[in-house]
Amino acid sequence: MARTLTQLAGLNVTVLDGVGPARAKALGSMGVDSVLDLLTHYPRRYLDRTRQEPIGRLVPGDEAMVLATVRSCSSRTTRGRQRMVTASVSDGSGTLSITFFNQPWRERQLAAGTDVVLFGKVDDFRGRRQMTNPVVDLVGDQTGRIVPVYPQSEKAGVVTSEVARMMAEVLRRAGTFAEPVPASILGQWDLTDRTAAYRGIHAPESMGEVTTARNRLVFDELLRLQLRLVQRKRYLETVTPGLAHDVDGPLMQQLVDGLPFALTDAQQRVIAEITADMAAPGPMHRLLQGDVGSGKTLVALAALLVAVQGGHQGALMAPTEVLAEQHAMGIGALLEAFSVPDTSTDTLFSGEPSAQRPLRVSLLTNRTPAAQRRRILAGLADGTVELVVGTHALIGAEVSFADLGLVVIDEQHRFGVEQRAALRARSTGLAVPDVLVMTATPIPRTAAMTVYGDLDVSVLDTKPPGRTPIVTTWARTPDDVDAMWAAVRSEVTAGRQGYVVCPLIDESEKLDAAAAGDTHAELTAPDGPLADHRVGLLHGRLPAVERDATMEAFRAGELDVLVATTVIEVGVDVPNATAMVILDADRFGIAQLHQLRGRVGRGRHESLCWLVADPSTPDGEARIEALVASEDGFALAEVDLELRGEGTLMGERQKGRNDLKLASLRRDAVWVQRARSAAEEIVGDDPTLSGHPLLVEELDTVLPDDDDTDYLLKG
Ligand code: ADP
Ligand code: MG
């Protein structure tokens, strides 16, 4: 009978020869409990024995791999107080001396008689061949041309040769693997069968076999992930009752006609995508990616008006109060002359043209005064507030909507899945409101396919015309910093404005606020660089009224410079601001720097950004260099992914159900796409995968539905 992964997941490693409770515990400490865990404990690299060199032929300066036996090993403390371990190894053709610094455990590892594979650079030390700090693999007496090297644990004492031995037993006893993936799909991408794949990855005859095996196993990992995502997406589309909006009303057109500029082609395209989704009966679940300043707010507003003109309510949730206030103000101004049918009178039935009343836009945050808050809540509950803009306050338990048609979530990276679902659940209607999430933190396309794989994605890929590029400078030396303040002063003198962003201290709002206060005091001191200017201070600990007043004064041009914490990170839109100074810039991540920089470059005037930093880490340096080199959010996202690895990217949403052991979203981008299309084909109109019982079983084993998924499915 063919083996399934589920069967192997049900077997403890103790079924293997020589694995008792102690070995099982050691393996457990490496995350290997079941036979399936072991089978998917893949080699970290391979030694190609054909490339191995005899010690006697080594030439100083070579990078070489040798297979040798340890003859002796000893350790001592050098005069520089370093621990030094020295071993002598030989392979019959000669002797090599190897030296390790500050790795005292090597003495235990390299007991006399141990067979080792060494990889390193050959030096000449007083006429003898030597390697310093080589890579060491304990492959034991493994035979074969290609030797897999497994991740090993020094602490648990599990070495690669032991893993290889166990793996040979697993492969032998497992026999033939069942095939859950339809043959047509395997054929389409020329993928080998599972039995060959597990053999090829663990016991290859050639490096070509490894590649073939890897392709298959990478595909399987990505396919499982995509199946889950597509399944969930299909489920939402087909099972959950959504709203089919009547999209033909007058309001959206009225908005467009009233704008002082034309929508960009990208905005028009994206609005059309959203409108089509809204008109369709299934619930919309769409992500709008657009770089900072690409004009997402207007797209959101157009979508909200589509909901309102169809007789529903709309909600816009922003991550900060500053941003919610700004949105409410901007939207309120744009919709000032807008009206909706007044259904509170009987005119609907009297044959008269129906009466109109002004469209009502409200702002709801935790700072909304009690009386006003009560009025807004009543308006939301009886449907007389058409649009509401707010923060987390919108998902408060006492908030309920008469007929919520669309939820827009701005800067979605700041919110969790839970909050999205919670806002959707606020509606008292039976149908699930449409959801549009927006983010200015672009992630590479294939990564988006995975991280947001259950959403449809729209991209605003061009910015409104007339923007001038932002000139970004790295201010590293005190001279650079002096020049920077001089330039800020001349911007101000020319009538422009600027921001100074203060370092982020350990996520503590209180400390951040203190730092911002200190910076403000230094800059405005009699001998400070901004002594003669009007400089405001903005941070999260200020009383609400004071914050409002400061932001308002800055918008009105009554302040020249705003010293702020990252409260201004997202969304803040003051086109006259042309100077951005980011202090201790190496403390911020790439996405955050890009966001902060995006506060300038929003008007007609050329903007300047300085990143003040003397980074202490190569990564910090790389981040700053990336920002200086590019203003393109998508390009920066690639660099970010490169620097941080995908673990962090997957973290938020795929926590605990990430079985990507071989696949890399970066290196295997092409396989992400193939797996996506395969998953779409397999799921078809059958979100429960009833025609694929083996796949269902495997998904339940490897990627069990967790609470997060349940939550989404319940809508
Ligand atoms: P973001 O995508 O970062 O949220 P915003 O929606 O805040 O960007 O838009 C940035 C600025 O661009 C705003 O001042 C907005 O009024 C302006 N804007 C948006 N669309 C257009 C357009 N089609 N033409 C000109 N300016 C536009
Ligand atoms: Mg925005």
Side-chain angles (χ1 to χ4, degrees):
M1 195 189 70
R3 280 298 160 180
T4 65
L5 301 193
T6 305
Q7 288 167 345
L8 296 184
L11 295 174
N12 193 277
V13 284
T14 49
V15 302
L16 300 172
D17 281 347
V19 180
R23 292 325 282 151
K25 190 157 171 245
L27 288 167
S29 74
M30 301 163 64
V32 174
D33 297 307
S34 70
V35 173
L36 180 63
D37 294 335
L38 186 64
L39 186 67
T40 56
H41 188 69
Y42 297 114
R44 141 169 83 90
R45 63 171 180 282
Y46 299 85
L47 297 176
D48 186 347
R49 286 257 170 92
T50 58
R51 315 251 302 264
Q52 171 187 324
E53 293 186 54
I55 292 175
R57 290 233 298 268
L58 296 182
V59 177
D62 284 354
E63 286 268 351
M65 178 172 83
V66 301
L67 173 64
T69 307
V70 178
R71 296 296 165 211
S72 65
C73 184
S74 62
S75 78
R76 64 185 182 87
T77 303
T78 65
R79 258 175 294 153
R81 309 213 55 69
Q82 294 205 59
R83 286 272 286 174
M84 183 170 105
V85 174
T86 315
S88 171
V89 305
S90 66
D91 68 352
S93 75
T95 304
L96 177 74
S97 155
I98 54 176
T99 306
F100 299 92
F101 290 97
N102 290 328
Q103 302 178 18
W105 49 271
R106 291 288 188 192
E107 195 178 357
R108 260 175 295 124
Q109 183 192 39
L110 301 174
T114 310
D115 288 328
V116 291
V117 172
L118 302 170
F119 188 85
K121 185 151 177 273
V122 183
D123 304 324
D124 178 74
F125 183 68
R126 294 183 190 154
R128 290 175 50 188
R129 281 177 289 255
Q130 165 180 295
M131 280 185 186
T132 303
N133 289 342
V135 174
V136 179
D137 288 309
L138 303 187
V139 295
D141 54 357
Q142 290 179 70
T143 52
R145 241 162 47 88
I146 308 287
V147 177
V149 178
Y150 289 96
Q152 42 192 8
S153 164
E154 296 296 341
K155 212 163 87 233
V158 179
V159 298
T160 176
S161 54
E162 185 185 2
V163 177
R165 200 176 53 242
M166 290 187 290
M167 207 64 81
E169 187 191 342
V170 170
L171 291 176
R172 182 168 46 77
R173 287 172 59 178
T176 307
F177 284 86
E179 186 54 81
V181 180
S184 60
I185 285 174
L186 295 180
Q188 188 177 2
W189 306 118
D190 201 14
L191 290 164
T192 188
D193 64 82
R194 265 205 182 160
T195 311
Y198 284 118
R199 241 158 255 289
I201 202 95
H202 290 298
E205 298 283 328
S206 69
M207 287 312 287
E209 254 184 53
V210 174
T211 309
T212 307
R214 189 178 181 281
N215 283 348
R216 171 63 206 264
L217 298 170
V218 160
F219 179 80
D220 281 2
E221 287 181 358
L222 293 168
L223 178 65
R224 286 190 289 260
L225 188 57
Q226 291 300 336
L227 279 171
R228 271 287 184 246
L229 293 164
V230 172
Q231 232 185 335
R232 192 190 311 171
K233 185 163 177 290
R234 217 36 65 75
Y235 189 92
L236 277 167
E237 284 162 4
T238 55
V239 180
T240 341
L243 287 166
H245 290 262
D246 173 5
V247 300
D248 295 327
L251 297 180
M252 212 246 292
Q253 199 52 45
Q254 191 182 341
L255 171 75
V256 175
D257 293 345
L259 291 173
F261 44 73
L263 293 178
T264 63
D265 290 348
Q267 281 170 321
Q268 290 183 28
R269 173 173 44 77
V270 169
I271 290 173
E273 287 167 2
I274 293 169
T275 310
D277 273 6
M278 291 178 73
M284 172 168 78
H285 212 189
R286 186 170 281 276
L287 171 75
L288 172 57
Q289 287 202 64
D291 211 343
V292 272
S294 58
K296 292 186 293 298
T297 315
L298 261 184
V299 172
L301 185 55
L304 289 165
L305 288 177
V306 169
V308 171
Q309 71 194 10
H312 305 282
Q313 293 165 295
L316 171 60
M317 183 156 86
T320 64
E321 281 171 356
V322 170
L323 188 51
E325 284 155 17
Q326 175 187 287
H327 278 326
M329 217 161 59
I331 291 174
L334 279 169
L335 303 187
E336 213 174 335
F338 281 52
S339 58
V340 290
D342 185 355
T343 50
S344 67
T345 60
D346 314 331
T347 48
L348 273 185
F349 305 103
S350 66
E352 314 244 325
S354 65
Q356 297 275 315
R357 63 171 178 79
L359 189 160
R360 223 171 127 196
V361 181
S362 297
L363 169 69
L364 186 69
T365 71
N366 288 329
R367 295 182 353 205
T368 308
Q372 200 178 332
R373 178 183 179 78
R374 269 196 303 279
R375 278 200 303 278
I376 295 171
L377 290 179
L380 291 174
D382 69 13
T384 54
V385 169
E386 279 76 31
L387 286 183
V388 65
V389 179
T391 54
H392 293 82
L394 287 180
I395 54 177
E398 69 290 7
V399 183
S400 80
F401 292 84
D403 184 5
L404 184 57
L406 173 68
V407 173
V408 179
I409 299 181
D410 196 11
E411 306 300 348
Q412 107 92 31
H413 60 288
R414 294 295 202 88
F415 292 105
V417 177
E418 297 73 18
Q419 285 154 324
R420 255 203 270 156
L423 182 52
R424 209 166 32 196
R426 287 293 125 231
S427 187
T428 48
L430 271 180
V432 176
D434 286 334
V435 177
L436 175 67
V437 296
M438 309 200 291
T439 178
T441 307
I443 58 174
R445 224 182 160 67
T446 49
M449 218 173 259
T450 308
V451 180
Y452 299 116
D454 54 343
L455 306 180
D456 292 301
V457 179
S458 288
V459 182
L460 271 184
D461 48 10
T462 50
K463 290 190 188 181
R467 301 278 167 82
T468 45
I470 303 170
V471 177
T472 303
T473 310
W474 179 354
R476 189 164 199 168
T477 66
D479 283 350
D480 294 344
V481 173
D482 288 345
M484 168 184 88
W485 292 125
V488 171
R489 286 193 297 268
S490 70
E491 285 299 297
V492 169
T493 310
R496 309 280 86 78
Q497 292 164 282
Y499 302 94
V500 177
V501 179
C502 298
L504 182 78
I505 303 168
D506 290 336
E507 305 289 319
S508 153
E509 207 179 45
K510 193 169 165 191
L511 292 177
D512 286 352
D518 292 348
T519 304
H520 181 266
E522 278 165 35
L523 294 176
T524 54
D527 58 345
L530 300 177
D532 305 324
H533 300 292
R534 300 167 299 173
V535 182
L537 173 64
L538 193 73
H539 58 68
R541 304 279 285 192
L542 289 173
V545 274
E546 206 172 310
R547 249 191 328 175
D548 282 350
T550 303
M551 203 56 228
E552 204 32 59
F554 187 70
R555 266 195 201 104
E558 290 154 15
L559 288 172
D560 301 317
V561 175
L562 196 57
V563 174
T565 56
T566 51
V567 293
I568 61 144
E569 177 184 340
V570 290
V572 170
D573 185 34
V574 179
N576 191 47
T578 55
M580 168 60 69
V581 171
I582 304 176
L583 300 173
D584 282 357
D586 56 324
R587 311 268 288 265
F588 297 97
I590 284 187
Q592 213 174 4
L593 288 171
H594 182 57
Q595 281 285 335
L596 286 167
R597 178 170 60 181
R599 297 312 109 216
V600 296
R602 301 184 149 249
R604 287 175 294 123
H605 303 282
E606 176 171 271
S607 290
L608 304 162
C609 172
W610 291 269
L611 305 172
V612 182
D614 192 2
S616 51
T617 63
D619 267 13
E621 234 169 82
R623 291 198 294 271
I624 307 241
E625 276 165 4
L627 265 285
V628 170
S630 175
E631 221 194 300
D632 174 348
F634 286 89
L636 288 170
E638 297 276 1
V639 178
D640 202 19
L641 187 59
E642 196 72 41
L643 286 176
R644 293 193 306 156
E646 49 226 25
T648 35
L649 185 70
M650 300 287 289
E652 301 277 311
R653 296 198 63 206
Q654 254 79 36
K655 211 182 303 153
R657 56 195 165 93
N658 171 1
D659 85 320
L660 301 189
K661 291 186 172 145
L662 275 179
S664 148
L665 299 183
R666 215 164 355 126
R667 267 177 296 135
D668 301 313
V670 56
W671 288 110
V672 174
Q673 246 139 4
R674 290 170 182 173
R676 178 70 177 194
S677 83
E680 278 168 356
E681 191 180 322
I682 292 172
V683 174
D685 302 325
D686 176 21
T688 61
L689 294 175
S690 57
H692 299 272
L694 276 177
L695 272 179
V696 171
E697 185 192 86
E698 182 165 318
L699 282 170
D700 287 344
T701 301
V702 180
L703 274 184
D705 264 353
D706 57 16
D707 294 347
D708 179 13
T709 324
D710 285 352
Y711 206 58
L712 280 166
L713 291 182
K714 280 187 218 123

